[in-house]
Amino acid sequence: MPDFSNAVVSLGSGLWKRATATGQGGLLSGIDPSSFTTSDPLRLWIIQMGIILMMGQLLSLGLGKIKQPKVIAEVLGGILLGPTAMGRIPGFTQHIFPAQSLPYLSLVANIGLCLFLFIVGLEIDATIIKRNVRSSLFIALSAMALSFGLGAAISVPLYHNFIPSSVKFTYFMLFTGVSFSITAFPVLCRILTALKLLDTTVGIVVLSAGVCNDVVGWSLLALAVALVNATSGLTALWILLTCLAFVIFLMWPVRIALLWFARFTGSTENGPTMFFMTVTTLLFWACSFFTDIVGVNAIFGAFLAGLIVPREGGLAIALTEKLEDMVTIMFLPLYFTLSGLNTNLGLLNNGITWGFTFAIICLDFSGKFTACTITARIIGMSWRESSTVGSLMSCKGLVELIVLNIGLNAGILTPTVFSMFVFEALILTFMTTPLVSLLYPPERRTLAVVGGVSRASPGDLDEDKSDRKFPMTEDQPWRSRFTVVLDKFDHMSGMLVATQLVCPPSLESSSAVQSTMSTRISDKMKMSGFSVDTLRLIELSDRTSDVMKSSAVDTLIHTDPLLSVFRTFGELNDIPVSLSLSVVPYDDMPGTVAHHAKRYGSQLVLLPWLSPSSNFGNTSEDLSGPHNPFESFFGGSKHTGKSATTIHSQFVRRIFAESKADVALFIDPAGTGTGSARHIFCPFFGGPDDRLALEFVVQLCTNPRMSATVVRMSKSSTETAAVERPSLVHLDGKESLDMPDLAYQMPVASNLAFPDTVYGQTNAEMRFQSETANNFLWGRYANSQLPYDAPSSLRAALSRIKFSELSSPLPLHSAIQFASAHKPVLIVVGRSRRLAGEDHTSELHQILKERGSVGQDVIRKTIGDPATAFVASGCATAVVVLQASNVDT
């Protein structure tokens, strides 16, 4: 059935005639621009494309709110544009979708369909099947066997009631069985992504079974098409043997040659080159052409071409990224519209037709659900997980539409039966998401042991870090386990410097400190638990390439350039580093960071000061206006910086609100790390965040190359008027979150679009306890009130710190002057002044006005008043903003 090749030839001749046409009228000459002529089909095609895309986008806006895949909106949009709905408007079909224009629309749609099947082939990775090869094959084959049997059974009454006798029953039975047994793997991937199931046991098993089902299903469809197109049994045998030989030829010599060619051109290391893309495109169309002329279908050649593209170095993912947007945005909606134009739900106009329709829906769902549930239960999954597997495997979507359209074009299916099966595919795909959400809610999910979205490096897999405790004592209040968040190379310099700063000095570097051997051994034992957990965040969107990344995390964790750099950094500095990678939606990134820190027992989260997945790096400035120092690390000009600032602020504040560990926000205005900064300045205003900042400075000064100045700041009474403290937003019914023996308030999450820091109610007792803790910690460090057996490393660190006190009516101005005395300087400051008697709002506004940086309320609410003042003044090489954790009693 070389329909695709014939369409190309016929339409090519039609376009040739257009070149010889003379005088084409336009809008100004009174010609209807939507009128169709074979000499100029482009104008109507553009109108059709615009209507199709707008219809799909409008429907996806509403259906996306209930987590339905976009394919539902596109299929429904195609049906509404067809005779079911808008086709009933007089003149709509004749004017917008006239019969003469459909071949042109069909040609573009089939080109897109071939490209889509090529991407489907790229999606299929053998490593996914290898993870659960036995269970996935068991589930896939059992489901296909039972579904095919039920499809063959219902084909008997369907054939006698709706199919003309000129159609062979065996052909109809074959197409019915294939449509029942197949599962829409591409749609399945997107449902797993939307429901966040890719890192669960169910997600891994379903993904593997879906790949097996996809490969076997396409093979069955190729067999069905070959049998239908063959004029005799011998011809069918020759078609099958030719296809088998072609598959063997592609899978071995061609695949090996393509891998060699990819390595030769450097495509496996640096992404697909132009030369490799050209050769791959030619190979793709050659495969499509061959399978079409031998009597199968062009889409099978495209699918095979995608299978043989090398996966090494993420080449298949990079190739998908170059093709997917054009295919999913423009080409696929055309195919759905063609299916919708052939679908007329008005033909389902009597009880018998609707009875068969519901019977098709029930039998198709029950076959997949029953077989997959029982099989999954046999291999050891719980009933809840097994039923979820059955629900997911019943998903249909685009794949069944392809099968149905092939059957309709071959004359095997009538418009009535075609409409029945399209309605069935729409219902089963629509019910997959709510059914899975009901059967497998988040609190019932089990993370995969072997597969999943998050992975750790091999050295970490044998340890259970969630139960590991790192007690911090008064003698050594230092954090020894850190989570470092990475997103882009722009963050690397800052995060590498921050990691090196918190790294304890080696025994060799501390040998200059005179101490006894027993003390040094004791210090070594206390430092032995120091390690760094690196979390690489990749945004997960609805793109096919992102879904491929999420299922190939085991490979990406070894090839990702950021993790490779950090791995090398740890080896060079003798820092024990474990690597993890998470592919999650942007809105879930803060929760992923908090969950990772809790799961790995981290005591401090090192966070870069740039929003993951937000656009930044544009340092263009409006020279006619005042300089804005925040643009250098937020990115964008004054016209776009506000949006980037807001996005980043929301990300950072959500981590502050959700993290149960201490958080250190590393602000690197120049994007170059701390440079040669070896001196630290820490203004101590009081409160839990400032106490954490003071302890952090002491820990940094265990490095012999670091020194520090710590000034206890207070506002003097010489100020003429007290500054009015702004009211804070409170949540009703929220009790205070107490630190042991300190009872200070932690920020809690807010439902506002861009939440501010929210504190619970305080009282005089809490303020007294906090002030007592401030005095105790200051006296312990500033006055060297250490016990006799305090570690030598702690004494050495305090010897490198200069403590002083200062009372000023303008404490922020005084702190900036202190910091400016040391260049370069690293400033360490607490995020907020919780439980303090006054704030710095008025003085900060004055500083921002002096520096020409007005309108920075979003930044101030994110990093706090003192940090905002230091960044605006430009006196800091880098700033570290700390927030204390919510320590459970």
Side-chain angles (χ1 to χ4, degrees), residues 27 65 250 480 649 698:
L27 180 64
K65 300 296 184 181
L250 288 178
S480 56
S649 175
V698 175

Side-chain angles (χ1 to χ4, degrees), residues 215-238:
V215 174
V216 177
W218 288 117
S219 302
L220 286 176
L221 183 57
L223 174 63
V225 173
L227 292 176
V228 170
N229 291 334
T231 56
S232 64
L234 184 61
T235 304
L237 179 61
W238 279 114

Side-chain angles (χ1 to χ4, degrees), residues 340-351:
L341 293 176
N342 293 323
T343 303
N344 186 2
L345 297 183
L347 297 176
L348 312 181
N349 53 8
N350 55 62

Side-chain angles (χ1 to χ4, degrees), residues 790-849:
S792 61
S793 55
L794 177 58
R795 296 182 182 276
L798 293 177
S799 67
R800 304 183 187 100
I801 305 176
K802 179 182 179 181
F803 294 91
S804 62
E805 298 186 23
L806 177 66
S807 178
S808 169
L810 299 174
L812 290 184
H813 284 81
S814 301
I816 291 173
Q817 292 178 357
F818 262 95
S820 301
H822 301 273
K823 289 287 187 175
V825 62
L826 171 66
I827 295 179
V828 179
V829 64
R831 181 189 177 215
S832 65
R833 295 191 60 233
R834 286 177 278 180
L835 300 171
E838 69 276 352
D839 68 7
H840 306 290
T841 303
S842 178
E843 185 182 1
L844 177 61
H845 286 166
Q846 180 182 352
I847 293 175
L848 294 176
K849 185 177 181 180

Side-chain angles (χ1 to χ4, degrees), residues 4 7-8 11 42 45 48-49 101-115 285 326-327 330-335 338:
F4 181 74
V8 173
L11 291 178
L42 181 60
W45 187 89
Q48 293 171 341
M49 172 64 69
S101 69
L102 295 185
Y104 298 89
L105 196 66
S106 177
L107 174 62
V108 180
N110 281 289
I111 291 174
L113 186 62
C114 289
L115 288 170
W285 287 119
M326 184 62 69
V327 173
M330 188 179 75
F331 288 120
L332 279 185
L334 294 182
Y335 189 81
L338 284 177

